[in-house]
Amino acid sequence: MAETDPEANRFSARASRYARVGANVGGVAARMAGAKLFGGKGGEAPSNAAALAQALGGLKGPIMKVAQLLATVPDLLPPEYAAELQKLQADAPPMGAAFVKRRMMAELGADWQSRFGSFDLKPAAAASLGQVHRATSRDGASLACKLQYPDMQSAVEADLKQLELAFALHRRMNAWLDTSEIKKEIGARVREELDYTREAKHAALYGAVLKDIEAVRVPAVHGDLSTKRLLTLGWLEGARILGFAEAPIEIRNRIAQAMFKAWWHPFSRAAVIHGDPHLGNYTVFSEGGEAQGINLLDYGCVRIFHPRFVGGVVDLYRGLLEDDRERVVHAYEVWGFKKLTNETIDILNIWARFIYGPLLEDRVRTVADGVKPGEYGRRQAFQVHQALKERGPVTVPQEFVFMDRAAVGLGAVFLHLRSELNYHRLFEAEIERFSLEALSERQGAALDAAGLLRPA
């Protein structure tokens, strides 16, 4: 049966969204540009930042996700803007029961209800691109059904068009940072999140790569109950990570170590990262009344790298550890940084030593002493900003964007947990006997099994 959503595929609806996003963002952009051109003071930044957050907050859907993505890249936005955008929540209004029935019929056919043991028409969670419903299979297994909102393709394209405006303004005011590759990467990842068939393959990939890691659970994929806009996974019971912020240190360390494994093990074994550090994408599972590990829930924002990129990560780590500048430079070049000078390398090393800091010291420590989760990376990003203003410009390579973002998000989780681990030894265990040949072979087998293409 065809969709009956009154806005679906209507030009007027898409045009209206373009106008609303453009007017809201453009109005704030004009204020920012005016202040800059006519000698506005730095003190105006907080009010402009609040105005931008308010403008975006009046819209639902993908623009919220884009705004949150921008806010989690520490070296992209001034602190005032990042702080305001991080307050935004993906609060698209949930679809009502009657509409959910129509959407499910469109995805699975008129007899869709007979394919489930039960299906709760009230969503368990709502996000920017879709909502999650609890259900059971015909044999009683607990399920999580993620159903995409209608006409998201048009909404995403409308919102990404306005992202062009934001980046154009950024380039005009901050010519020392070329954001063209950042824009390209954000657009690619947000578009990928629309394809639930791809997300199902991501989940299958993670299930295979993490199958021997008992501390990390990946939901089973129910392909017979999934489509491009409906993803059905096994439901994993768990509690919010922040609910353990005051737990005994051994519990917090156990959760943090599971998070480390969930992130670094797939990266070192298949050159893939879970690129969304949102705390809602993880829950903690318990056995015998005690927390044992984490559930990894969402696979929309997954980044698959060429093995050489992982080689660059290892080279930079070894170069910093052994004070081997030639190896450090090689790593930056592998990642795609161009026209490197000694000054630019020194500037990039400020950020690299911060990100790699916990991995370089062979001792039990916090991920960043005396730093609050929301401030993680801000001071170093400011130092890099100031230095690049004098020495730039620099183009941030496309592949680097989500690696950087995910690493910062992971560090923030460790800060929330106040975990104390020997991150150096954990990392060494992941890259032990590392070779590009072995990684390429493992990645190829894993991607082929999941039905995913190898990166060029």
Side-chain angles (χ1 to χ4, degrees), residues 57 59 108 116 144 147 177-178 198 201 224 243 250 265 317 327 332 363 422 426 441:
L59 299 165
L108 294 179
F116 295 90
L147 182 61
L177 181 65
D178 184 347
R198 182 181 180 86
K201 294 177 180 180
D224 58 323
E250 60 269 18
H265 194 76
Y317 166 74
R327 196 166 187 176
Y332 290 140
R363 66 181 178 91
N422 189 318
L426 290 172
E441 184 176 332

PDB file of all heavy atoms in Angstrom, residues 57 59 108 116 144 147 177-178 198 201 224 243 250 265 317 327 332 363 422 426 441:
ATOM      1  N   GLY A  57      16.947  24.844  16.852  1.00  0.00           N
ATOM      2  CA  GLY A  57      16.073  24.123  17.761  1.00  0.00           C
ATOM      3  C   GLY A  57      14.622  24.167  17.350  1.00  0.00           C
ATOM      4  O   GLY A  57      13.825  23.337  17.771  1.00  0.00           O
ATOM      5  N   LEU A  59      13.598  23.503  14.451  1.00  0.00           N
ATOM      6  CA  LEU A  59      13.431  22.546  13.363  1.00  0.00           C
ATOM      7  C   LEU A  59      13.682  21.134  13.868  1.00  0.00           C
ATOM      8  O   LEU A  59      14.439  20.923  14.809  1.00  0.00           O
ATOM      9  CB  LEU A  59      14.422  22.862  12.236  1.00  0.00           C
ATOM     10  CG  LEU A  59      14.240  24.236  11.605  1.00  0.00           C
ATOM     11  CD1 LEU A  59      15.469  24.589  10.791  1.00  0.00           C
ATOM     12  CD2 LEU A  59      13.007  24.253  10.720  1.00  0.00           C
ATOM     13  N   LEU A 108       6.403  -3.689   5.186  1.00  0.00           N
ATOM     14  CA  LEU A 108       6.312  -5.152   5.263  1.00  0.00           C
ATOM     15  C   LEU A 108       5.037  -5.735   4.642  1.00  0.00           C
ATOM     16  O   LEU A 108       4.861  -6.955   4.627  1.00  0.00           O
ATOM     17  CB  LEU A 108       6.423  -5.619   6.717  1.00  0.00           C
ATOM     18  CG  LEU A 108       7.764  -5.378   7.419  1.00  0.00           C
ATOM     19  CD1 LEU A 108       7.704  -5.885   8.861  1.00  0.00           C
ATOM     20  CD2 LEU A 108       8.913  -6.046   6.676  1.00  0.00           C
ATOM     21  N   PHE A 116       4.860 -10.698  13.525  1.00  0.00           N
ATOM     22  CA  PHE A 116       5.371 -10.480  14.881  1.00  0.00           C
ATOM     23  C   PHE A 116       4.504 -11.215  15.890  1.00  0.00           C
ATOM     24  O   PHE A 116       3.309 -11.423  15.676  1.00  0.00           O
ATOM     25  CB  PHE A 116       5.363  -8.984  15.228  1.00  0.00           C
ATOM     26  CG  PHE A 116       6.284  -8.143  14.392  1.00  0.00           C
ATOM     27  CD1 PHE A 116       5.834  -7.570  13.205  1.00  0.00           C
ATOM     28  CD2 PHE A 116       7.586  -7.923  14.792  1.00  0.00           C
ATOM     29  CE1 PHE A 116       6.677  -6.784  12.435  1.00  0.00           C
ATOM     30  CE2 PHE A 116       8.443  -7.139  14.018  1.00  0.00           C
ATOM     31  CZ  PHE A 116       7.992  -6.576  12.839  1.00  0.00           C
ATOM     32  N   ALA A 144      13.893  -4.967  18.706  1.00  0.00           N
ATOM     33  CA  ALA A 144      13.893  -3.509  18.610  1.00  0.00           C
ATOM     34  C   ALA A 144      13.698  -3.157  17.146  1.00  0.00           C
ATOM     35  O   ALA A 144      14.540  -3.509  16.303  1.00  0.00           O
ATOM     36  CB  ALA A 144      15.207  -2.938  19.129  1.00  0.00           C
ATOM     37  N   LEU A 147      12.020   2.403  12.921  1.00  0.00           N
ATOM     38  CA  LEU A 147      11.192   2.785  11.785  1.00  0.00           C
ATOM     39  C   LEU A 147      11.510   4.228  11.391  1.00  0.00           C
ATOM     40  O   LEU A 147      11.369   5.153  12.196  1.00  0.00           O
ATOM     41  CB  LEU A 147       9.716   2.640  12.151  1.00  0.00           C
ATOM     42  CG  LEU A 147       8.677   2.942  11.075  1.00  0.00           C
ATOM     43  CD1 LEU A 147       8.844   1.999   9.879  1.00  0.00           C
ATOM     44  CD2 LEU A 147       7.276   2.828  11.659  1.00  0.00           C
ATOM     45  N   LEU A 177      41.296  27.609   8.126  1.00  0.00           N
ATOM     46  CA  LEU A 177      40.831  26.227   8.209  1.00  0.00           C
ATOM     47  C   LEU A 177      39.920  25.929   7.022  1.00  0.00           C
ATOM     48  O   LEU A 177      38.851  26.502   6.884  1.00  0.00           O
ATOM     49  CB  LEU A 177      40.065  25.992   9.514  1.00  0.00           C
ATOM     50  CG  LEU A 177      39.547  24.559   9.734  1.00  0.00           C
ATOM     51  CD1 LEU A 177      40.719  23.596   9.872  1.00  0.00           C
ATOM     52  CD2 LEU A 177      38.661  24.498  10.977  1.00  0.00           C
ATOM     53  N   ASP A 178      40.358  25.033   6.129  1.00  0.00           N
ATOM     54  CA  ASP A 178      39.565  24.635   4.970  1.00  0.00           C
ATOM     55  C   ASP A 178      38.625  23.507   5.393  1.00  0.00           C
ATOM     56  O   ASP A 178      39.068  22.403   5.739  1.00  0.00           O
ATOM     57  CB  ASP A 178      40.504  24.164   3.854  1.00  0.00           C
ATOM     58  CG  ASP A 178      39.751  23.817   2.574  1.00  0.00           C
ATOM     59  OD1 ASP A 178      38.513  23.712   2.623  1.00  0.00           O
ATOM     60  OD2 ASP A 178      40.408  23.639   1.536  1.00  0.00           O
ATOM     61  N   ARG A 198      22.009  -0.906   4.881  1.00  0.00           N
ATOM     62  CA  ARG A 198      23.444  -0.783   5.152  1.00  0.00           C
ATOM     63  C   ARG A 198      23.717  -0.896   6.649  1.00  0.00           C
ATOM     64  O   ARG A 198      24.686  -1.533   7.070  1.00  0.00           O
ATOM     65  CB  ARG A 198      23.971   0.558   4.609  1.00  0.00           C
ATOM     66  CG  ARG A 198      25.477   0.727   4.804  1.00  0.00           C
ATOM     67  CD  ARG A 198      25.950   2.072   4.276  1.00  0.00           C
ATOM     68  NE  ARG A 198      27.392   2.224   4.472  1.00  0.00           N
ATOM     69  CZ  ARG A 198      28.325   1.797   3.631  1.00  0.00           C
ATOM     70  NH1 ARG A 198      27.968   1.187   2.515  1.00  0.00           N
ATOM     71  NH2 ARG A 198      29.611   1.970   3.885  1.00  0.00           N
ATOM     72  N   LYS A 201      23.933  -4.361   7.750  1.00  0.00           N
ATOM     73  CA  LYS A 201      25.229  -4.955   7.403  1.00  0.00           C
ATOM     74  C   LYS A 201      26.309  -4.515   8.391  1.00  0.00           C
ATOM     75  O   LYS A 201      27.194  -5.295   8.757  1.00  0.00           O
ATOM     76  CB  LYS A 201      25.614  -4.578   5.976  1.00  0.00           C
ATOM     77  CG  LYS A 201      24.697  -5.182   4.914  1.00  0.00           C
ATOM     78  CD  LYS A 201      25.080  -4.705   3.517  1.00  0.00           C
ATOM     79  CE  LYS A 201      24.161  -5.311   2.462  1.00  0.00           C
ATOM     80  NZ  LYS A 201      24.504  -4.855   1.089  1.00  0.00           N
ATOM     81  N   ASP A 224      14.676 -10.751   7.880  1.00  0.00           N
ATOM     82  CA  ASP A 224      13.354 -11.007   7.327  1.00  0.00           C
ATOM     83  C   ASP A 224      12.332  -9.975   7.777  1.00  0.00           C
ATOM     84  O   ASP A 224      11.239  -9.879   7.212  1.00  0.00           O
ATOM     85  CB  ASP A 224      12.883 -12.411   7.731  1.00  0.00           C
ATOM     86  CG  ASP A 224      12.835 -12.589   9.241  1.00  0.00           C
ATOM     87  OD1 ASP A 224      13.717 -12.042   9.936  1.00  0.00           O
ATOM     88  OD2 ASP A 224      11.924 -13.288   9.727  1.00  0.00           O
ATOM     89  N   GLY A 243      24.186   6.058  34.728  1.00  0.00           N
ATOM     90  CA  GLY A 243      23.674   5.517  35.986  1.00  0.00           C
ATOM     91  C   GLY A 243      24.745   4.844  36.829  1.00  0.00           C
ATOM     92  O   GLY A 243      24.518   4.535  38.005  1.00  0.00           O
ATOM     93  N   GLU A 250      35.899  -0.289  40.602  1.00  0.00           N
ATOM     94  CA  GLU A 250      36.130  -1.494  39.799  1.00  0.00           C
ATOM     95  C   GLU A 250      35.011  -1.696  38.777  1.00  0.00           C
ATOM     96  O   GLU A 250      35.259  -2.204  37.671  1.00  0.00           O
ATOM     97  CB  GLU A 250      36.264  -2.728  40.697  1.00  0.00           C
ATOM     98  CG  GLU A 250      35.058  -3.045  41.572  1.00  0.00           C
ATOM     99  CD  GLU A 250      35.138  -2.385  42.944  1.00  0.00           C
ATOM    100  OE1 GLU A 250      35.935  -1.422  43.095  1.00  0.00           O
ATOM    101  OE2 GLU A 250      34.430  -2.848  43.859  1.00  0.00           O
ATOM    102  N   HIS A 265      38.990  -2.532  19.217  1.00  0.00           N
ATOM    103  CA  HIS A 265      39.123  -3.873  18.645  1.00  0.00           C
ATOM    104  C   HIS A 265      38.628  -3.925  17.193  1.00  0.00           C
ATOM    105  O   HIS A 265      39.360  -4.423  16.320  1.00  0.00           O
ATOM    106  CB  HIS A 265      38.375  -4.891  19.515  1.00  0.00           C
ATOM    107  CG  HIS A 265      38.725  -6.308  19.200  1.00  0.00           C
ATOM    108  ND1 HIS A 265      39.916  -6.887  19.598  1.00  0.00           N
ATOM    109  CD2 HIS A 265      38.056  -7.270  18.495  1.00  0.00           C
ATOM    110  CE1 HIS A 265      39.964  -8.140  19.177  1.00  0.00           C
ATOM    111  NE2 HIS A 265      38.846  -8.389  18.500  1.00  0.00           N
ATOM    112  N   TYR A 317      51.302   6.900  16.634  1.00  0.00           N
ATOM    113  CA  TYR A 317      51.501   6.444  18.024  1.00  0.00           C
ATOM    114  C   TYR A 317      52.965   6.083  18.260  1.00  0.00           C
ATOM    115  O   TYR A 317      53.590   6.556  19.226  1.00  0.00           O
ATOM    116  CB  TYR A 317      50.602   5.241  18.295  1.00  0.00           C
ATOM    117  CG  TYR A 317      50.933   4.477  19.547  1.00  0.00           C
ATOM    118  CD1 TYR A 317      50.629   4.992  20.806  1.00  0.00           C
ATOM    119  CD2 TYR A 317      51.537   3.222  19.476  1.00  0.00           C
ATOM    120  CE1 TYR A 317      50.931   4.277  21.962  1.00  0.00           C
ATOM    121  CE2 TYR A 317      51.836   2.504  20.628  1.00  0.00           C
ATOM    122  CZ  TYR A 317      51.537   3.038  21.864  1.00  0.00           C
ATOM    123  OH  TYR A 317      51.832   2.342  23.005  1.00  0.00           O
ATOM    124  N   ARG A 327      58.518   9.407  11.294  1.00  0.00           N
ATOM    125  CA  ARG A 327      57.368   8.506  11.322  1.00  0.00           C
ATOM    126  C   ARG A 327      56.074   9.287  11.575  1.00  0.00           C
ATOM    127  O   ARG A 327      55.027   8.950  11.024  1.00  0.00           O
ATOM    128  CB  ARG A 327      57.575   7.440  12.400  1.00  0.00           C
ATOM    129  CG  ARG A 327      56.648   6.247  12.261  1.00  0.00           C
ATOM    130  CD  ARG A 327      57.102   5.090  13.122  1.00  0.00           C
ATOM    131  NE  ARG A 327      56.321   3.893  12.870  1.00  0.00           N
ATOM    132  CZ  ARG A 327      56.553   2.715  13.431  1.00  0.00           C
ATOM    133  NH1 ARG A 327      57.571   2.571  14.282  1.00  0.00           N
ATOM    134  NH2 ARG A 327      55.800   1.673  13.148  1.00  0.00           N
ATOM    135  N   TYR A 332      50.876  11.623   9.125  1.00  0.00           N
ATOM    136  CA  TYR A 332      50.023  12.722   8.666  1.00  0.00           C
ATOM    137  C   TYR A 332      49.811  12.656   7.152  1.00  0.00           C
ATOM    138  O   TYR A 332      48.715  12.921   6.649  1.00  0.00           O
ATOM    139  CB  TYR A 332      50.636  14.068   9.048  1.00  0.00           C
ATOM    140  CG  TYR A 332      50.603  14.371  10.525  1.00  0.00           C
ATOM    141  CD1 TYR A 332      51.692  14.977  11.154  1.00  0.00           C
ATOM    142  CD2 TYR A 332      49.496  14.068  11.299  1.00  0.00           C
ATOM    143  CE1 TYR A 332      51.664  15.283  12.508  1.00  0.00           C
ATOM    144  CE2 TYR A 332      49.463  14.350  12.647  1.00  0.00           C
ATOM    145  CZ  TYR A 332      50.555  14.956  13.251  1.00  0.00           C
ATOM    146  OH  TYR A 332      50.528  15.246  14.595  1.00  0.00           O
ATOM    147  N   ARG A 363      51.101   3.713  32.668  1.00  0.00           N
ATOM    148  CA  ARG A 363      50.688   3.814  34.070  1.00  0.00           C
ATOM    149  C   ARG A 363      49.168   3.854  34.145  1.00  0.00           C
ATOM    150  O   ARG A 363      48.490   4.162  33.159  1.00  0.00           O
ATOM    151  CB  ARG A 363      51.263   5.060  34.726  1.00  0.00           C
ATOM    152  CG  ARG A 363      50.725   6.385  34.169  1.00  0.00           C
ATOM    153  CD  ARG A 363      51.345   7.588  34.854  1.00  0.00           C
ATOM    154  NE  ARG A 363      50.875   8.848  34.291  1.00  0.00           N
ATOM    155  CZ  ARG A 363      49.809   9.529  34.729  1.00  0.00           C
ATOM    156  NH1 ARG A 363      49.086   9.044  35.742  1.00  0.00           N
ATOM    157  NH2 ARG A 363      49.471  10.672  34.184  1.00  0.00           N
ATOM    158  N   ASN A 422      45.187   1.492  32.682  1.00  0.00           N
ATOM    159  CA  ASN A 422      46.439   1.622  31.952  1.00  0.00           C
ATOM    160  C   ASN A 422      46.092   1.551  30.467  1.00  0.00           C
ATOM    161  O   ASN A 422      46.081   0.478  29.866  1.00  0.00           O
ATOM    162  CB  ASN A 422      47.420   0.511  32.341  1.00  0.00           C
ATOM    163  CG  ASN A 422      48.812   0.759  31.769  1.00  0.00           C
ATOM    164  OD1 ASN A 422      48.961   1.161  30.611  1.00  0.00           O
ATOM    165  ND2 ASN A 422      49.831   0.533  32.579  1.00  0.00           N
ATOM    166  N   LEU A 426      46.384  -1.437  27.290  1.00  0.00           N
ATOM    167  CA  LEU A 426      45.194  -1.842  26.550  1.00  0.00           C
ATOM    168  C   LEU A 426      45.382  -1.635  25.047  1.00  0.00           C
ATOM    169  O   LEU A 426      45.005  -2.485  24.229  1.00  0.00           O
ATOM    170  CB  LEU A 426      43.971  -1.052  27.029  1.00  0.00           C
ATOM    171  CG  LEU A 426      43.447  -1.371  28.429  1.00  0.00           C
ATOM    172  CD1 LEU A 426      42.351  -0.370  28.820  1.00  0.00           C
ATOM    173  CD2 LEU A 426      42.910  -2.798  28.496  1.00  0.00           C
ATOM    174  N   GLU A 441      43.731  -8.518   5.049  1.00  0.00           N
ATOM    175  CA  GLU A 441      43.129  -9.841   4.861  1.00  0.00           C
ATOM    176  C   GLU A 441      41.926 -10.022   5.788  1.00  0.00           C
ATOM    177  O   GLU A 441      40.866 -10.500   5.356  1.00  0.00           O
ATOM    178  CB  GLU A 441      44.180 -10.925   5.133  1.00  0.00           C
ATOM    179  CG  GLU A 441      43.687 -12.332   4.863  1.00  0.00           C
ATOM    180  CD  GLU A 441      44.778 -13.367   5.045  1.00  0.00           C
ATOM    181  OE1 GLU A 441      45.967 -13.023   4.854  1.00  0.00           O
ATOM    182  OE2 GLU A 441      44.457 -14.522   5.387  1.00  0.00           O
TER     183      GLU A 441
END
